[in-house]
């Protein structure tokens, strides 16, 4: 309620309780703090998501308004192809500027196949850690009624997007210094990693201190500019830049018919039918495995917010795509099974 009232007023991050409570601070203050700790050499990193808001920051970098030493895109292994194409578009734009800032593609350090690998591992092995924000239902044992039961925590953004960026930044600096990744970071080096959250996403900010690396701080320049997601989209539109929203093809935050915000299942169905089929496959498998009782997950998981099987939300699309792409889906599942067997062993 407090937040809704706030959005009726002109955005001002300084009035927000998260800023007042020092959950996050301005970039200038983070820089000062690092320097006071003797970390005079600050490495500036853009965590690039390939979508709209971090593209806004990348453009500011290309225009010479923000300095970055590294631009790092973390591949979650489940972005739609159109996001990879958008990333390539930005790389080409960077080249057209003659901008030489290293542009790095990072991945999860253990599961190089990203979220697909995590899910396949969960489905096919005894692996218990489930890192996606799926919608949950519970079965009332007495009445037999199935009731909504919240969502699983969203751990995937941290594990598959933010941590790989930090690790890649660390690796680049250690290599430059001729040090091994595992060695201690020299005391005079600090990092500031820019995250492309917008003012309307302040709720997603939990800290400006990296929990993994004490010499890394997290900054939110769009929030400091009081820019909202719509402001970034408008900026991209006015400049004729690509505007697809970055997310995984199976992300539970996809909506129905939300083309205006660009996070909808229809976009996946139209642009990448096979990915939609994979999402339906995962959605079914998650419940199938959860039902066996071998997982610590007690609730029934769904990718769609209605808590219905995804294929039943879009029945005619599912049937059509299943007919057209069913063989490719089976080949993909066979390939993954072989890969999981080799890397993790099957249950
Ligand atoms: S886009 Fe969705 S599924 Fe992908 S990392 Fe973010 S929250 Fe997780």
């Amino acid at each position: 309620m407090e937040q809704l009232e706030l959005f009726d007023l002109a955005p001002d991050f300084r009035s927000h309780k998260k800023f007042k409570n020092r959950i996050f601070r301005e970039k200038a203050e983070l820089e000062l703090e690092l320097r006071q700790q003797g970390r005079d050499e600050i490495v500036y990193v853009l965590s690039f998501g390939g979508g709209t808001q971090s593209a806004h920051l990348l453009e500011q970098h290309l225009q010479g308004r923000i300095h970055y030493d590294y631009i790092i895109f973390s591949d979650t292994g489940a972005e739609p192809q159109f996001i990879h194409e958008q990333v390539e578009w930005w790389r080409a734009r960077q080249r057209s500027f003659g901008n030489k800032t290293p542009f790095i593609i990072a991945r999860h350090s253990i599961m190089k196949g990203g979220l697909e690998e995590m899910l396949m591992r969960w489905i096919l092995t005894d692996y218990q850690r489930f890192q996606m924000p799926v919608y949950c239902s519970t079965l009332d044992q007495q009445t037999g009624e199935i009731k909504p039961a919240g969502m699983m925590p969203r751990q995937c953004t941290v594990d598959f997007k933010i941590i790989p960026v930090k690790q890649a930044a660390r690796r680049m600096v250690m290599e430059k210094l001729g040090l091994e990744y595992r060695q201690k970071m020299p005391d005079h080096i600090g990092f500031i990693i820019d995250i492309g959250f917008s003012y309307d996403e302040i709720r997603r900010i939990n800290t400006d201190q990296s929990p993994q690396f004490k010499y890394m701080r997290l900054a939110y320049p769009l929030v400091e500019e009081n820019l909202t997601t719509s402001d970034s989209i408008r900026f991209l539109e006015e400049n004729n830049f690509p505007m697809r929203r970055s997310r995984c093809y199976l992300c539970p935050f996809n909506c129905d018919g939300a083309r205006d915000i660009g996070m909808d299942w229809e976009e996946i169905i139209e642009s990448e039918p096979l990915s939609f089929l994979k999402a339906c496959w995962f959605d079914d498998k998650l419940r199938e495995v959860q039902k066996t009782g071998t997982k610590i997950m007690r609730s029934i998981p769904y990718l769609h917010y209605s808590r219905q099987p995804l294929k039943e939300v879009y029945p005619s699309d599912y049937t059509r795509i299943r007919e057209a792409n069913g063989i490719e889906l089976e080949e993909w599942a066979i390939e993954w099974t072989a890969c999981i067997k080799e890397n993790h062993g099957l249950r």
Side-chain angles (χ1 to χ4, degrees):
M1 186 64 177
E2 194 183 323
Q3 214 147 335
L4 283 178
E5 281 166 11
L6 193 63
F7 286 130
D8 290 339
L9 306 170
D12 176 10
F13 74 95
R14 287 192 182 84
S15 320
H16 198 282
K17 65 181 176 193
K18 285 215 170 179
F19 182 75
K20 286 183 176 169
N21 293 340
R22 297 179 70 74
I23 303 292
F24 74 97
R25 288 165 293 164
E26 287 174 86
K27 197 167 171 175
E29 192 182 339
L30 300 177
E31 281 169 342
L32 188 65
E33 184 187 81
L34 285 170
R35 289 190 202 286
Q36 283 169 345
Q37 291 171 357
R39 298 193 180 276
D40 290 327
E41 196 175 320
I42 299 181
V43 179
Y44 295 91
V45 178
L46 170 62
S47 173
F48 181 61
T52 45
Q53 288 108 304
S54 57
H56 197 168
L57 291 173
L58 176 53
E59 180 63 17
Q60 293 189 19
H61 171 62
L62 298 180
Q63 299 290 344
R65 291 179 52 205
I66 307 184
H67 170 75
Y68 291 121
D69 297 296
Y70 299 102
I71 300 158
I72 307 181
F73 170 73
S74 177
D75 181 351
T76 65
E79 283 96 356
Q81 184 54 27
F82 57 72
I83 292 302
H84 289 290
E85 286 164 11
Q86 206 155 275
V87 170
E88 279 312 308
W89 188 93
W90 281 103
R91 293 183 83 166
R93 180 164 174 81
Q94 185 196 12
R95 284 193 292 277
S96 76
F97 272 74
N99 177 295
K100 300 272 189 257
T101 308
F103 196 123
I104 295 150
I105 309 287
R107 289 188 177 80
H108 191 280
S109 59
I110 296 166
M111 292 185 274
K112 302 289 179 205
L115 275 173
E116 281 195 353
E117 183 170 351
M118 183 279 284
L119 290 170
M120 284 293 187
R121 205 173 159 193
W122 191 85
I123 289 166
L124 297 168
T125 76
D126 292 332
Y127 186 69
Q128 294 283 356
R129 194 149 184 259
F130 192 87
Q131 288 137 292
M132 269 182 64
V134 288
Y135 297 90
C136 297
S137 288
T138 47
L139 175 66
D140 186 319
Q141 297 293 352
Q142 282 173 350
T143 62
E145 200 187 339
I146 292 183
K147 292 183 186 160
M151 281 186 103
M152 299 277 292
R154 171 192 187 140
Q155 188 57 30
C156 40
T157 311
V158 171
D159 290 355
F160 291 86
K161 287 206 82 75
I162 296 178
I163 292 179
V165 167
K166 294 177 190 170
Q167 290 171 333
R170 186 182 199 282
R171 186 167 294 109
M172 293 304 294
V173 169
M174 295 302 268
E175 273 176 22
K176 201 169 153 191
L177 295 170
L179 298 170
E180 296 291 328
Y181 181 77
R182 297 275 163 214
Q183 282 181 265
K184 183 176 175 285
M185 180 62 64
D187 290 340
H188 68 286
I189 295 182
F191 291 72
I192 294 190
I193 302 189
D194 279 2
I195 310 284
F197 289 167
S198 301
Y199 179 81
D200 51 304
E201 296 178 313
I202 285 190
R203 69 188 181 286
R204 295 180 65 189
I205 299 179
N206 294 320
T207 183
D208 56 30
Q209 167 63 57
S210 161
Q212 296 82 23
F213 304 106
K214 64 174 189 196
Y215 44 81
M216 284 190 185
R217 302 286 181 277
L218 308 175
Y220 306 93
L222 294 174
V223 171
E224 286 186 41
E225 291 183 64
N226 292 316
L227 290 172
T228 63
T229 308
S230 312
D231 290 327
S232 290
I233 292 174
R234 197 173 316 115
F235 170 78
L236 298 173
E237 195 173 16
E238 282 167 6
N239 287 285
N240 219 12
F241 295 154
M243 299 193 309
R244 303 254 212 171
R245 301 292 302 279
S246 117
R247 84 286 198 182
C248 302
Y249 70 79
L250 41 56
C251 183
F253 294 126
N254 274 320
C255 308
D256 296 319
R259 191 53 54 90
D260 52 334
I261 59 161
M263 291 276 288
D264 55 321
W265 286 108
E266 285 87 346
E267 187 179 46
I268 305 295
I269 292 171
E270 285 164 23
S271 309
E272 294 199 12
L274 180 59
S275 293
F276 175 70
L277 211 50
K278 289 182 195 173
C280 292
W281 187 91
F282 276 128
D283 183 52
D284 284 347
K285 285 285 175 194
L286 295 184
R287 283 186 298 283
E288 211 177 275
V289 172
Q290 190 274 337
K291 210 173 165 184
T292 62
T294 55
K295 297 291 173 184
I296 50 177
M297 184 193 279
R298 291 287 164 248
S299 311
I300 307 166
Y302 295 90
L303 291 184
H304 194 267
Y305 65 86
S306 66
R307 295 176 173 82
Q308 292 178 68
L310 186 55
K311 65 186 180 192
E312 289 175 20
V313 179
Y314 297 98
S316 55
D317 289 311
Y318 175 76
T319 308
R320 173 179 54 79
I321 297 169
R322 174 84 221 184
E323 273 171 27
N325 300 84
I327 293 173
E328 278 173 275
L329 178 78
E330 276 160 34
E331 286 170 354
W332 165 83
I334 289 167
E335 258 176 54
W336 260 123
T337 305
C339 176
I340 297 293
K341 186 176 176 185
E342 191 181 324
N343 294 332
H344 308 288
L346 298 181
R347 193 184 293 119

